[in-house]
Amino acid sequence: MAEKVPAIFQATFIEDGFIARNDVLIYDKGHDQWDLCEIKATNSIKEGSKERDHIIDIAFQASVLRRADVPIGKYLHMRLNKDYIRAGDLDIQVFYTKHSSLGEGFETCSSVIPGDLPKSKMI
């Protein structure tokens, strides 16, 4: 991270006993911060599911990164483009769609999770 490379894949942070592994951290040179990007092999965001909640997932990672003093810029989800039809070579720019995670659900989780982290250590 100190070298500020363009991207770091599977960056792992251990902070205060919590482990967060990010799919991709993308360095934003203009703002001197890192964009947190989650890549999902699905074509829709999972929210409120007992099995998997993508919003809680990225909010947890953001909480651990903040504790590690990582300057975060954007919170992004990349997921499969359900309208993509391959014709020839794979066009990765169209195969995935990029979405901002900033929204009501993320803001709620992002503010609640830091307070819940100490409690979860007791479980």
Side-chain angles (χ1 to χ4, degrees):
M1 290 190 83
E3 294 176 18
K4 300 184 178 175
V5 295
I8 301 173
F9 295 88
Q10 295 294 301
T12 303
F13 295 86
I14 302 171
E15 192 66 36
D16 295 334
F18 297 98
I19 300 173
R21 179 171 290 135
N22 318 119
D23 287 336
V24 186
L25 286 175
I26 303 165
Y27 183 63
D28 179 347
K29 189 176 183 177
H31 295 99
D32 192 29
Q33 57 193 11
W34 296 87
D35 294 341
L36 175 58
C37 184
E38 272 297 291
I39 302 172
K40 302 298 182 187
T42 181
N43 62 15
S44 63
I45 195 162
K46 307 294 186 237
E47 189 172 0
S49 167
K50 288 184 180 181
E51 289 182 21
R52 195 67 165 159
D53 188 317
H54 295 165
I55 299 295
I56 289 175
D57 190 18
I58 200 165
F60 170 78
Q61 291 178 43
S63 295
V64 174
L65 288 173
R66 279 192 215 106
R67 285 171 171 253
D69 294 322
V70 175
I72 304 171
K74 298 175 189 163
Y75 304 88
L76 305 167
H77 269 100
M78 288 180 67
R79 53 186 183 264
L80 299 174
N81 179 354
K82 65 182 175 182
D83 298 321
Y84 178 74
I85 299 173
R86 183 175 176 173
D89 292 339
L90 180 66
D91 184 348
I92 201 72
Q93 299 299 320
V94 181
F95 183 65
Y96 278 98
T97 58
K98 193 185 304 185
H99 305 273
S100 172
S101 291
L102 293 179
E104 186 177 324
F106 177 79
E107 291 300 326
T108 300
C109 290
S110 184
S111 63
V112 170
I113 286 178
D116 287 341
L117 287 176
K119 293 181 230 170
S120 66
K121 285 185 178 180
M122 296 177 193
I123 297 176

